[in-house]
Amino acid sequence: MIPYGRQDINQQDVDAVVEVLSSNWLTQGPKVPAFEQAVCEYTGAKFAVAANSATSALHIACLVLGVGPGDRVWTSPITFVASANCALYCGAQVDFVDVDPNTGNMSPEALRSKLIEAKRQGTLPKVVIPVHLCGHSCDMAAIFELGKEYGFKIIEDASHGIGGSYQGHKLGSCGYSDITVFSFHPVKIITSAEGGMALTRSRLLADKMALFRSHGIRRDPDTMLRPDEGKWYYEQHELGFNYRMTDLQAALGFSQLKRLDEFVSKRNQLAEYYTQALAKQPVVSVEPLLGSVSARHLYMIRLKQAERRREVFDSMRERGVQVHVHYFPVHLQPYYLELGFKAGDFPCAEQFYEEILTLPLFPALIEQEVEYICSGIAEIMSTESL
Ligand SMILES: *Cc1c(COP(=O)(O)O)cnc(C)c1O
């Protein structure tokens, strides 16, 4: 089976992890801050807070932006459930903004209409979470302008996006957001096994996220609220969590970061190869905005004959190709239906979902495999629908 995504681990990565194993710290040592610093330097963000997953990073990002009961958080329906769940963890209400039918990314026009309506009803969101699907940046300048006009904060869910850029700036630089979150799950662009990171330009937000990451506990004598009791003394100031990344994970992430540009360029080459090989097929590839560079986490196509998606999917799997579908719309998940969402709420997202298929894409994929995959698609398409 050709997987849809796969990590790329070399000897250097293995050595980096093994070195930590025989060091003094398996966790809370020097590797986590080193990884955070390196991601700051790479992206141009000022501060970084590593966490044990992007899901945890999204949760503490919402908390430090003040999301709580009575607040509203809006995200895209075409995403992994974590982009929406983070708001529910905080006791807030989630709602969705429909997507651009070509990219599957949050549509600034749909956002504007929904904001106008929400303003009338007094239901404006506190935070909006655009998701860079496939690693293709959302139209952040437009979303940022709306944020200024309607007073919401922005968390970019860039779980697919590290290594990409928008208007010449790396995703994670937070030029158009308060916080950007990356995932380092093995199918993503670089991996730390499990892991995530929240980037920001705000020292205050970074400091608070670090607090929530580790039980809400402070150890710095300057920050104590009670009189110092001695060197053992620490204070809990918030109800935090254990969302820490280990040094083993950070060492792997740090080592992988050195190959990030190589990964992204390989992924882009393969994506171009796919697009050319599929040019004559009744499919449209989902492409990044002009002027942006995508990290190309996923290579996604839309089938013009959407009614054949299931057939194409099953037939490709039979050919040993692990095609996938990203994603079943979050508002139609049983848990979200229970909250009152229903089919028809976000028609562009629902239509997009019907059309899409994800083809394998990872750095070690070779052109012969891409050819095999594309000829499979061509063969299925050339037969009459069953
Ligand atoms: C993978 C993913 C997440 C969650 O990442 P984890 O590191 O597995 O918690 C969140 N949002 C999106 C869009 C993702 O693809």
Side-chain angles (χ1 to χ4, degrees):
M1 189 73 103
I2 305 176
Y4 88 86
R6 194 187 194 294
Q7 70 276 15
D8 191 312
I9 301 293
N10 68 10
Q11 191 58 43
Q12 217 180 338
D13 296 327
V14 173
D15 293 345
V17 175
V18 170
E19 186 198 312
V20 175
L21 273 175
S22 44
S23 79
N24 289 330
W25 293 279
L26 300 187
T27 191
Q28 292 176 279
K31 296 297 180 187
V32 171
F35 184 33
E36 289 170 334
Q37 182 59 33
V39 176
C40 281
E41 279 162 20
Y42 182 87
T43 58
K46 287 215 175 68
F47 304 98
V49 179
N52 57 5
S53 70
T55 304
S56 311
L58 285 164
H59 182 194
I60 57 180
C62 284
L63 285 172
V64 301
L65 292 177
V67 173
D71 292 323
R72 290 177 174 77
V73 173
W74 293 0
T75 186
S76 167
I78 300 293
T79 185
F80 184 58
V81 292
S83 316
N85 289 345
C86 57
L88 299 182
Y89 297 157
C90 304
Q93 245 177 295
V94 172
D95 202 351
F96 300 92
V97 179
D98 212 349
V99 302
D100 178 312
N102 296 310
T103 62
N105 276 337
M106 180 180 286
S107 153
E109 291 75 35
L111 177 59
R112 177 185 291 281
S113 320
K114 198 175 171 86
L115 287 165
I116 292 170
E117 184 57 27
K119 189 171 182 185
R120 240 196 314 266
Q121 303 194 347
T123 56
L124 284 169
K126 180 171 253 178
V127 170
V128 172
I129 308 181
V131 181
H132 305 309
L133 187 67
C134 306
H136 304 358
S137 179
C138 294
D139 184 354
M140 288 310 300
I143 295 170
F144 181 74
E145 281 308 311
L146 291 167
K148 281 200 294 195
E149 194 177 338
Y150 290 90
F152 58 79
K153 306 273 191 215
I154 300 172
I155 301 171
E156 294 174 71
D157 184 345
S159 292
H160 302 180
I162 192 169
S165 63
Y166 172 74
Q167 292 185 350
H169 298 281
K170 292 282 185 212
L171 296 196
S173 57
C174 296
Y176 292 113
S177 62
D178 298 280
I179 298 169
T180 300
V181 169
F182 293 137
S183 171
F184 306 126
H185 182 277
V187 296
K188 306 286 166 69
I189 311 293
I190 59 169
T191 190
S192 60
E194 296 283 0
M197 200 176 282
L199 290 299
T200 179
R201 293 184 173 193
S202 157
R203 182 186 298 278
L204 186 71
L205 291 178
D207 181 60
K208 279 190 179 168
M209 286 194 283
L211 187 63
F212 277 112
R213 166 176 69 181
S214 198
H215 307 283
I217 284 173
R218 287 201 188 278
R219 293 176 186 276
D220 178 356
D222 296 342
T223 62
M224 295 296 111
L225 299 175
R226 292 182 64 263
D228 189 8
E229 302 261 325
K231 286 246 185 281
W232 65 85
Y233 186 65
Y234 57 80
E235 289 183 352
Q236 183 189 344
H237 291 176
E238 293 282 357
L239 184 60
F241 306 88
N242 181 351
Y243 280 171
R244 293 187 304 261
M245 178 181 275
T246 65
D247 270 41
L248 289 165
Q249 292 169 308
L252 178 55
F254 187 91
S255 174
Q256 287 257 297
L257 187 65
K258 295 179 186 151
R259 288 194 295 151
L260 174 57
D261 287 339
E262 177 199 320
F263 288 160
V264 169
S265 105
K266 192 73 205 295
R267 284 171 173 278
N268 273 282
Q269 274 170 27
L270 289 164
E272 256 171 57
Y273 199 81
Y274 263 124
T275 303
Q276 278 169 23
L278 292 169
K280 295 202 170 67
Q281 299 307 314
V283 303
V284 185
S285 66
V286 174
E287 290 295 327
L289 285 178
L290 277 177
S292 68
V293 177
S294 175
R296 294 278 188 183
H297 166 49
L298 302 172
Y299 186 81
M300 200 182 281
I301 55 174
R302 287 159 50 218
L303 306 188
K304 291 182 179 167
Q305 298 156 280
E307 70 285 358
R308 297 188 67 186
R309 199 261 306 272
R310 180 73 182 261
E311 177 200 339
V312 176
F313 184 100
D314 291 344
S315 189
M316 290 303 287
R317 287 269 173 124
E318 275 165 29
R319 286 160 204 256
V321 180
Q322 197 198 29
V323 291
H324 225 290
V325 173
H326 296 93
Y327 295 89
F328 181 76
V330 179
H331 69 284
L332 300 180
Q333 290 288 354
Y335 189 87
Y336 281 83
L337 294 176
E338 280 292 309
L339 298 178
F341 294 100
K342 56 185 189 315
D345 282 349
F346 305 100
C348 294
E350 291 167 32
Q351 179 61 30
F352 185 81
Y353 162 68
E354 295 293 334
E355 298 170 350
I356 50 177
L357 191 67
T358 299
L359 305 182
L361 184 60
F362 49 91
L365 187 70
I366 57 174
E367 289 184 356
Q368 286 91 317
E369 288 171 314
V370 175
E371 271 167 33
Y372 172 73
I373 294 162
C374 294
S375 60
I377 301 268
E379 223 173 278
I380 300 161
M381 288 302 179
S382 69
T383 62
E384 282 304 309
S385 180
L386 297 176

